[in-house]
Amino acid sequence: MLREFIEYLSGLYLKKEISPAVAYDLWASTYDDQPGNLIMDIDEEVFNSFLNTINLSGKTVVDVGCGTGRHWKKILDQKPRQLIGYDVSVRMLKRLTTQFPEAVTHLLTGYNLYGLNSDSCDFLVSTLTISHIENLEKTFEEWNRVLKPGAGLIVTDYHPELLAKGEKRIFKYKNKTIAIRSYIHSIEKIKLLAQKLHWQEINFIERKIDETVQEYYKNLYAVTVYEKFKGTPVFYGIQLRKSL
């Protein structure tokens, strides 16, 4: 993703954004093969730090924006009663079920998590997803519907400050760099919506372009880009709990 980000800064990308459903169908075959991807590496670190603080044994877990199931092995290692995935991309879900043949998945075509009863889930995770969602209020209300009182949530994504500066979620397909449609939801807005639903903030992590990620830029001979954007937030993760 960092390489494409640099191409974006240089103006070498396809400017027309396409829908996540179409984009991730195109990206599915190569999505898991991204060594040295800055955002995905940070997501792995932050998600693991949250996951290590919870116990999912015997719990019903839902993954919204599950994609190819990048985090599923770690979740399944905790032996949940059930893990259910939702995604907008048919081909991403097919990749997931190739790796996890017993997986329960649903194609997400709107805001409703069809197939889930109210107050039926113990935990919800959504990684690198909510900036693709236009109406976050409707989404959070639906999540709140399916979560039991006391249920937990983990949300991670690109930082809205980075998106506000013009960053695009982009990838390579047939020698073209394609931008995926995104929406900017400020951290303030996310926390305010959570408060309205009586979700308690347990932990919040923010990552910036700083010395800890400098090697990613050096490896791409992009030190000038690093210097230009040093200090810019690139990623956040938030851990929440629905009130009893």
Side-chain angles (χ1 to χ4, degrees):
M1 187 64 66
L2 179 57
R3 184 183 299 276
E4 284 83 2
F5 177 40
I6 292 166
E7 291 180 354
Y8 158 72
L9 294 173
S10 305
L12 301 175
Y13 74 103
L14 185 64
K15 295 186 178 181
K16 182 180 179 181
E17 295 181 339
I18 61 177
S19 73
V22 174
Y24 284 103
D25 272 356
L26 296 176
W27 199 1
S29 63
T30 59
Y31 186 79
D32 290 330
D33 184 22
Q34 299 187 64
N37 182 303
L38 173 62
I39 297 296
M40 292 181 76
D41 286 353
I42 296 175
D43 179 63
E44 189 76 13
E45 172 200 341
V46 172
F47 183 82
N48 288 348
S49 71
F50 288 155
L51 192 63
N52 289 337
T53 68
I54 60 177
N55 179 8
L56 298 178
S57 177
K59 304 291 180 63
T60 297
V61 182
V62 58
D63 183 356
V64 180
C66 59
T68 60
R70 285 191 307 115
H71 296 302
W72 275 41
K73 184 181 184 304
K74 298 187 292 291
I75 295 172
L76 290 170
D77 283 346
Q78 289 204 19
K79 301 188 183 308
R81 186 182 73 84
Q82 190 174 25
L83 175 57
I84 306 161
Y86 287 81
D87 201 272
V88 298
S89 167
V90 173
R91 291 184 180 177
M92 294 287 271
L93 291 175
K94 285 183 178 178
R95 295 277 293 182
L96 185 152
T97 54
T98 298
Q99 300 177 74
F100 305 97
E102 303 301 318
V104 177
T105 64
H106 299 277
L107 184 65
L108 191 60
T109 58
Y111 300 106
N112 295 324
L113 299 176
Y114 293 109
L116 292 179
N117 295 327
S118 298
D119 302 329
S120 62
C121 299
D122 300 288
F123 215 93
L124 184 148
V125 301
S126 185
T127 60
L128 303 181
T129 295
I130 67 171
S131 61
H132 289 319
I133 298 170
E134 183 174 10
N135 192 323
L136 199 57
E137 186 170 9
K138 282 186 178 180
T139 297
F140 277 13
E141 287 173 354
E142 176 66 357
W143 292 4
N144 193 63
R145 179 188 70 80
V146 304
L147 289 172
K148 297 177 181 178
L153 304 92
I154 292 174
V155 174
T156 72
D157 209 353
Y158 280 67
H159 202 288
E161 287 190 30
L162 186 65
L163 297 175
K165 287 189 174 183
E167 190 349 9
K168 303 290 184 182
R169 195 171 311 196
I170 50 184
F171 67 99
K172 284 280 192 176
Y173 181 75
K174 293 186 177 180
N175 298 319
K176 292 182 180 179
T177 302
I178 297 175
I180 311 173
R181 186 179 305 133
S182 294
Y183 303 91
I184 299 171
H185 305 298
S186 70
I187 299 298
E188 181 182 14
K189 173 184 176 181
I190 293 165
K191 291 187 175 184
L192 181 60
L193 290 176
Q195 288 172 11
K196 286 182 178 179
L197 295 169
H198 304 289
W199 295 352
Q200 177 189 1
E201 182 180 323
I202 305 302
N203 197 2
F204 179 79
I205 296 174
E206 187 177 76
R207 290 285 185 266
K208 298 182 178 182
I209 297 177
D210 57 19
E211 293 80 7
T212 63
V213 301
Q214 190 173 11
E215 282 301 312
Y216 287 87
Y217 292 84
K218 285 183 177 179
N219 291 339
L220 291 174
Y221 305 100
V223 176
T224 55
V225 174
Y226 167 79
E227 293 297 337
K228 181 177 180 180
F229 287 88
K230 187 176 180 181
T232 300
V234 294
F235 184 91
Y236 74 91
I238 187 167
Q239 187 177 359
L240 302 152
R241 182 183 297 122
K242 181 178 177 178
S243 63
L244 292 169

